Amino acid sequence: MLRAQYQQQQQQQQQQQQQQQQQQLQREREQFLQEQQEQQQQRQREQYQQQLQREQFQLQQQQALQQQALQLQQQQQYQQQQQQQQFPGGRNFKEASDEEEDPIPIQEAKQRGLDAYSVPTNGKGTLGRSTSGSSYANDMTAKIRVCVRKRPLNSKEIHRGEKDMATVAGRQLAVDEPKVRVDMTKFIERHKFIFDEVFDTDATNEDVYRKTAFPLVQYLFEGGKATCFAYGQTGSGKTFTMLDDKQGLYVLAARDIFVLLRNPGNSHLSVYIGFYEIYQGQLHDLLNNRKKLHAREDNKGSVVISGLKEYEIVNVEGLMQVFEYGNNARSTGSTNANADSSRSHAIMQIVLKDRSTKSVEGKLSFIDLAGSERGADRGETDVKTRMEGAEINKSLLALKECIRALDQDKKHTPFRQSKLTQVLKDSFVGNSRTCMVATISPNNSNSEHTLNTLRYADR
């Protein structure tokens, strides 16, 4: 009897000890989790403080640059006022440099009555644009629309004291080109262009989107094939306009696409994305470890990218994640013209497909063309960079020839001159619409590049 009581007491003591140990372990576990949570909160606070400091530093830099630009603008306005007082007759003069005593006169470029192909125009420019601009009507549903965006002067250009040589007035753009006569006297030749839309330095990506890509989004849901591509000199803002990760045209277009998908009439559609590049005449899938692709034509004459991997997306955030993954695989390089130059043409395809049949109901392509450049601008570079530049210029020349053939209604369009034009065939024939956004640099040292871009766009 005593032994049974003793054993029972022992068992009770063991149970109490086990309970105490479990409670102790539970308290230690809770304390550990609490410490981990506090450490995580502390890290989050530190990260937030660091992010806040970075944003404040960036804001201070932006304010400083804006202040410098404002001071420079005020200085230029003051000098112009002084010149107007000095020459009350209204003669048009450019500001004199520090080494010159007399201002440089401005001379209007002569209108020869020829288009970009040296053909008499009878007062009409290419693509039906009137050189006067008075009778030209801006058609948002035109098959091919050409728009120009002017970027602001950057901090380096402001520090060097460069001037803004491009002036925007409605749909008209005037560019001043420094020249030297035979007698070594300097003068400024002013060239004027008229386009479907011209965006000044204060235009945001949202403003550009409303006049360029938004009509294409609406056309996409009508079953059409639409293309929006950016062309311009290296460093003129093409990638920022087209493929910026927050306010790029593709992000804004995706936002409206998912809004339109909420309509009951579009409930049978789903969105797919494909992202590839054209590098040295070869196609590479940026969403599938740069797998080599092939551009082929089906029995209907439509271009098909064989092997392209497409992902279904359900919201804008998913699109941005897929784009960020593919953009990290894109070919870039450093040249004297741009420290982070795109060395390939990037094509992002947003495709509408029927959920049941998987048939294509519409396609919208955003194309970031590699920057046009000259050999002298690249500087002393290796063989690879020179070959990249040669292939880029070759493909851009082929694109110009295709646009010229379409503009002149020729029977044959040389789409097979390069991979770029072969891929873009659907963008110019059949049920298609295209919008070209030409980006320009306004500083005087790039005036020649700017004029080349505008002449290319005017064709």
Side-chain angles (χ1 to χ4, degrees), residues 260-284:
L260 292 174
L261 281 175
R262 297 173 187 172
N263 295 338
N266 299 325
S267 59
H268 65 289
L269 299 176
S270 58
V271 182
Y272 289 81
I273 179 176
F275 195 22
Y276 62 97
E277 72 172 3
I278 303 176
Y279 176 68
Q280 290 193 354
Q282 302 294 329
L283 276 65
H284 300 277

Tab-separated table of all heavy atoms in Angstrom, residues 260-284:
chain	number	residue	atom	x	y	z
A	260	LEU	N	-10.072	47.207	-69.694
A	260	LEU	CA	-10.995	46.845	-70.769
A	260	LEU	C	-11.408	45.379	-70.695
A	260	LEU	O	-12.500	45.015	-71.148
A	260	LEU	CB	-10.342	47.140	-72.121
A	260	LEU	CG	-10.125	48.624	-72.450
A	260	LEU	CD1	-9.339	48.787	-73.745
A	260	LEU	CD2	-11.465	49.342	-72.568
A	261	LEU	N	-10.541	44.527	-70.130
A	261	LEU	CA	-10.893	43.118	-70.002
A	261	LEU	C	-12.045	42.894	-69.024
A	261	LEU	O	-12.673	41.826	-69.038
A	261	LEU	CB	-9.670	42.308	-69.556
A	261	LEU	CG	-8.638	41.964	-70.639
A	261	LEU	CD1	-7.440	41.264	-70.028
A	261	LEU	CD2	-9.259	41.111	-71.729
A	262	ARG	N	-12.315	43.862	-68.159
A	262	ARG	CA	-13.425	43.723	-67.206
A	262	ARG	C	-14.778	43.861	-67.866
A	262	ARG	O	-15.793	43.493	-67.262
A	262	ARG	CB	-13.285	44.771	-66.098
A	262	ARG	CG	-12.018	44.600	-65.257
A	262	ARG	CD	-11.864	45.770	-64.287
A	262	ARG	NE	-10.587	45.718	-63.581
A	262	ARG	CZ	-10.135	46.694	-62.799
A	262	ARG	NH1	-10.873	47.798	-62.632
A	262	ARG	NH2	-8.965	46.583	-62.198
A	263	ASN	N	-14.812	44.379	-69.089
A	263	ASN	CA	-16.085	44.491	-69.797
A	263	ASN	C	-16.646	43.095	-70.070
A	263	ASN	O	-15.901	42.173	-70.422
A	263	ASN	CB	-15.898	45.246	-71.111
A	263	ASN	CG	-15.490	46.696	-70.891
A	263	ASN	OD1	-15.730	47.254	-69.821
A	263	ASN	ND2	-14.867	47.292	-71.887
A	264	PRO	N	-17.937	42.908	-69.925
A	264	PRO	CA	-18.526	41.571	-70.163
A	264	PRO	C	-18.255	41.037	-71.559
A	264	PRO	O	-18.099	39.824	-71.746
A	264	PRO	CB	-20.027	41.808	-69.937
A	264	PRO	CG	-20.101	43.026	-69.061
A	264	PRO	CD	-18.945	43.879	-69.450
A	265	GLY	N	-18.158	41.908	-72.534
A	265	GLY	CA	-17.911	41.449	-73.895
A	265	GLY	C	-16.516	40.916	-74.121
A	265	GLY	O	-16.248	40.269	-75.147
A	266	ASN	N	-15.582	41.188	-73.182
A	266	ASN	CA	-14.194	40.714	-73.318
A	266	ASN	C	-13.850	39.621	-72.316
A	266	ASN	O	-12.669	39.303	-72.136
A	266	ASN	CB	-13.221	41.889	-73.142
A	266	ASN	CG	-13.430	42.968	-74.174
A	266	ASN	OD1	-13.773	42.680	-75.325
A	266	ASN	ND2	-13.226	44.217	-73.796
A	267	SER	N	-14.864	39.042	-71.673
A	267	SER	CA	-14.592	38.043	-70.641
A	267	SER	C	-13.989	36.754	-71.201
A	267	SER	O	-13.408	35.970	-70.452
A	267	SER	CB	-15.880	37.717	-69.884
A	267	SER	OG	-16.862	37.222	-70.795
A	268	HIS	N	-14.121	36.530	-72.514
A	268	HIS	CA	-13.590	35.305	-73.116
A	268	HIS	C	-12.122	35.431	-73.496
A	268	HIS	O	-11.535	34.472	-74.009
A	268	HIS	CB	-14.387	34.961	-74.370
A	268	HIS	CG	-14.240	35.978	-75.472
A	268	HIS	ND1	-14.801	37.241	-75.389
A	268	HIS	CD2	-13.594	35.927	-76.662
A	268	HIS	CE1	-14.511	37.925	-76.490
A	268	HIS	NE2	-13.769	37.154	-77.275
A	269	LEU	N	-11.515	36.592	-73.237
A	269	LEU	CA	-10.138	36.839	-73.645
A	269	LEU	C	-9.183	36.699	-72.474
A	269	LEU	O	-9.538	36.966	-71.324
A	269	LEU	CB	-10.009	38.245	-74.246
A	269	LEU	CG	-10.829	38.536	-75.501
A	269	LEU	CD1	-10.674	39.994	-75.911
A	269	LEU	CD2	-10.419	37.622	-76.643
A	270	SER	N	-7.962	36.300	-72.775
A	270	SER	CA	-6.882	36.249	-71.797
A	270	SER	C	-5.651	36.915	-72.408
A	270	SER	O	-5.533	37.031	-73.636
A	270	SER	CB	-6.571	34.798	-71.387
A	270	SER	OG	-6.233	34.028	-72.523
A	271	VAL	N	-4.720	37.350	-71.544
A	271	VAL	CA	-3.557	38.129	-71.981
A	271	VAL	C	-2.302	37.283	-71.830
A	271	VAL	O	-2.064	36.675	-70.783
A	271	VAL	CB	-3.416	39.430	-71.159
A	271	VAL	CG1	-2.235	40.254	-71.662
A	271	VAL	CG2	-4.698	40.239	-71.243
A	272	TYR	N	-1.478	37.269	-72.878
A	272	TYR	CA	-0.191	36.575	-72.862
A	272	TYR	C	0.899	37.568	-73.236
A	272	TYR	O	0.671	38.509	-74.011
A	272	TYR	CB	-0.188	35.402	-73.846
A	272	TYR	CG	-1.041	34.228	-73.413
A	272	TYR	CD1	-2.417	34.244	-73.621
A	272	TYR	CD2	-0.479	33.125	-72.792
A	272	TYR	CE1	-3.212	33.177	-73.228
A	272	TYR	CE2	-1.255	32.052	-72.391
A	272	TYR	CZ	-2.622	32.085	-72.609
A	272	TYR	OH	-3.392	31.023	-72.210
A	273	ILE	N	2.096	37.323	-72.712
A	273	ILE	CA	3.223	38.210	-72.991
A	273	ILE	C	4.414	37.391	-73.479
A	273	ILE	O	4.693	36.303	-72.961
A	273	ILE	CB	3.620	39.031	-71.740
A	273	ILE	CG1	4.819	39.928	-72.045
A	273	ILE	CG2	3.908	38.140	-70.557
A	273	ILE	CD1	5.221	40.834	-70.912
A	274	GLY	N	5.085	37.916	-74.492
A	274	GLY	CA	6.339	37.368	-74.987
A	274	GLY	C	7.363	38.482	-75.079
A	274	GLY	O	7.024	39.634	-75.387
A	275	PHE	N	8.618	38.173	-74.816
A	275	PHE	CA	9.660	39.197	-74.754
A	275	PHE	C	10.936	38.628	-75.355
A	275	PHE	O	11.478	37.648	-74.853
A	275	PHE	CB	9.882	39.615	-73.292
A	275	PHE	CG	10.667	40.885	-73.120
A	275	PHE	CD1	10.762	41.822	-74.139
A	275	PHE	CD2	11.307	41.172	-71.929
A	275	PHE	CE1	11.473	43.006	-73.983
A	275	PHE	CE2	12.020	42.343	-71.743
A	275	PHE	CZ	12.096	43.261	-72.779
A	276	TYR	N	11.390	39.209	-76.466
A	276	TYR	CA	12.607	38.717	-77.108
A	276	TYR	C	13.385	39.893	-77.690
A	276	TYR	O	12.887	41.023	-77.752
A	276	TYR	CB	12.276	37.687	-78.192
A	276	TYR	CG	11.450	38.200	-79.339
A	276	TYR	CD1	12.041	38.616	-80.531
A	276	TYR	CD2	10.062	38.269	-79.255
A	276	TYR	CE1	11.286	39.083	-81.584
A	276	TYR	CE2	9.290	38.737	-80.305
A	276	TYR	CZ	9.911	39.144	-81.470
A	276	TYR	OH	9.149	39.604	-82.511
A	277	GLU	N	14.617	39.627	-78.102
A	277	GLU	CA	15.475	40.665	-78.649
A	277	GLU	C	16.077	40.203	-79.968
A	277	GLU	O	16.170	38.993	-80.243
A	277	GLU	CB	16.588	41.037	-77.664
A	277	GLU	CG	17.658	39.975	-77.509
A	277	GLU	CD	18.851	40.441	-76.684
A	277	GLU	OE1	18.823	41.569	-76.185
A	277	GLU	OE2	19.813	39.661	-76.566
A	278	ILE	N	16.479	41.174	-80.782
A	278	ILE	CA	17.212	40.910	-82.021
A	278	ILE	C	18.624	41.438	-81.816
A	278	ILE	O	18.848	42.648	-81.735
A	278	ILE	CB	16.543	41.593	-83.220
A	278	ILE	CG1	15.090	41.135	-83.345
A	278	ILE	CG2	17.309	41.285	-84.496
A	278	ILE	CD1	14.325	41.837	-84.453
A	279	TYR	N	19.577	40.518	-81.694
A	279	TYR	CA	20.965	40.882	-81.394
A	279	TYR	C	21.856	40.314	-82.491
A	279	TYR	O	21.932	39.105	-82.695
A	279	TYR	CB	21.374	40.330	-80.029
A	279	TYR	CG	22.821	40.572	-79.670
A	279	TYR	CD1	23.284	41.858	-79.412
A	279	TYR	CD2	23.732	39.524	-79.594
A	279	TYR	CE1	24.606	42.094	-79.075
A	279	TYR	CE2	25.049	39.735	-79.262
A	279	TYR	CZ	25.489	41.022	-79.009
A	279	TYR	OH	26.806	41.250	-78.693
A	280	GLN	N	22.494	41.225	-83.240
A	280	GLN	CA	23.386	40.845	-84.343
A	280	GLN	C	22.694	39.899	-85.324
A	280	GLN	O	23.244	38.874	-85.744
A	280	GLN	CB	24.669	40.223	-83.802
A	280	GLN	CG	25.557	41.223	-83.095
A	280	GLN	CD	26.950	40.695	-82.845
A	280	GLN	OE1	27.237	39.535	-83.096
A	280	GLN	NE2	27.832	41.543	-82.345
A	281	GLY	N	21.457	40.228	-85.670
A	281	GLY	CA	20.736	39.454	-86.666
A	281	GLY	C	20.137	38.160	-86.178
A	281	GLY	O	19.589	37.395	-86.977
A	282	GLN	N	20.217	37.886	-84.875
A	282	GLN	CA	19.677	36.656	-84.298
A	282	GLN	C	18.603	36.994	-83.271
A	282	GLN	O	18.695	38.008	-82.572
A	282	GLN	CB	20.782	35.822	-83.636
A	282	GLN	CG	21.917	35.424	-84.558
A	282	GLN	CD	21.473	34.465	-85.650
A	282	GLN	OE1	20.560	33.667	-85.459
A	282	GLN	NE2	22.137	34.530	-86.811
A	283	LEU	N	17.589	36.119	-83.174
A	283	LEU	CA	16.502	36.311	-82.215
A	283	LEU	C	16.765	35.479	-80.975
A	283	LEU	O	17.123	34.289	-81.071
A	283	LEU	CB	15.165	35.893	-82.833
A	283	LEU	CG	14.437	36.938	-83.704
A	283	LEU	CD1	15.242	37.260	-84.956
A	283	LEU	CD2	13.050	36.433	-84.106
A	284	HIS	N	16.583	36.098	-79.799
A	284	HIS	CA	16.814	35.417	-78.526
A	284	HIS	C	15.617	35.661	-77.602
A	284	HIS	O	15.165	36.801	-77.456
A	284	HIS	CB	18.093	35.917	-77.844
A	284	HIS	CG	19.327	35.707	-78.673
A	284	HIS	ND1	20.016	34.510	-78.699
A	284	HIS	CD2	19.993	36.531	-79.514
A	284	HIS	CE1	21.052	34.617	-79.510
A	284	HIS	NE2	21.062	35.841	-80.023
